[in-house]
């Protein structure tokens, strides 16, 4: 389980969330392919999908135990918090976590 402490708490369903928990081990092969499809649908054009920030945000939303959505990352997080969350996904994808 990977934790990311947010600089600015997220408000999700009336609850203030300061730390996000990611369980990348619970993701399936189906999630693997769906994440790319979702990111491409959102306009991700990075040739190597694993480098794309939208792809990483989609994966983060899938793995997050707090049940956030991609839109929560894209539309409500600060730049630094979004970078921390997508960076955690990048570490997972590179096998660094």
């Amino acid at each position: 389980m990977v934790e990311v402490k947010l600089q600015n708490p997220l408000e999700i369903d009336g609850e203030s969330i300061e730390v996000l928990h990611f369980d990348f081990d619970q993701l399936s092969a189906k999630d693997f392919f769906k994440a790319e499809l979702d990111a491409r649908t959102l306009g991700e054009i990075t040739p190597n999908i694993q480098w794309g920030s939208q792809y990483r945000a989609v994966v983060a939303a899938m793995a997050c135990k707090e049940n956030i959505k991609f839109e929560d990352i894209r539309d409500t997080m600060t730049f630094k918090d979004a970078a921390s969350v997508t960076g955690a996904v990048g570490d997972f994808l590179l096998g660094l976590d």
Side-chain angles (χ1 to χ4, degrees):
M1 184 88 55
V2 175
E3 286 187 6
V4 174
K5 181 164 178 17
L6 302 174
Q7 273 195 323
N8 297 308
L10 276 179
E11 289 290 326
I12 306 291
D13 297 327
E15 182 182 349
S16 180
I17 299 172
E18 296 180 9
V19 179
L20 295 175
H21 301 86
F22 300 95
D23 183 3
F24 298 112
D25 293 333
Q26 58 94 21
L27 296 176
S28 67
K30 184 176 179 179
D31 295 322
F32 177 82
F33 293 104
K34 183 174 181 344
E36 180 171 6
L37 179 62
D38 290 353
R40 297 286 186 206
T41 300
L42 290 164
E44 184 67 67
I45 60 170
T46 307
N48 181 346
I49 194 68
Q50 294 184 359
W51 291 104
S53 59
Q54 290 186 99
Y55 174 76
R56 290 179 180 200
V58 168
V59 172
M62 289 177 157
C64 189
K65 301 308 278 182
E66 284 72 28
N67 201 29
I68 64 171
K69 300 178 183 94
F70 166 81
E71 292 80 9
D72 296 322
I73 298 169
R74 182 190 63 195
D75 298 339
T76 63
M77 282 189 182
T78 64
F79 188 105
K80 188 166 186 172
D81 284 341
S84 295
V85 166
T86 57
V89 174
D91 288 351
F92 160 70
L93 294 171
L94 293 172
L96 301 176
D97 68 335

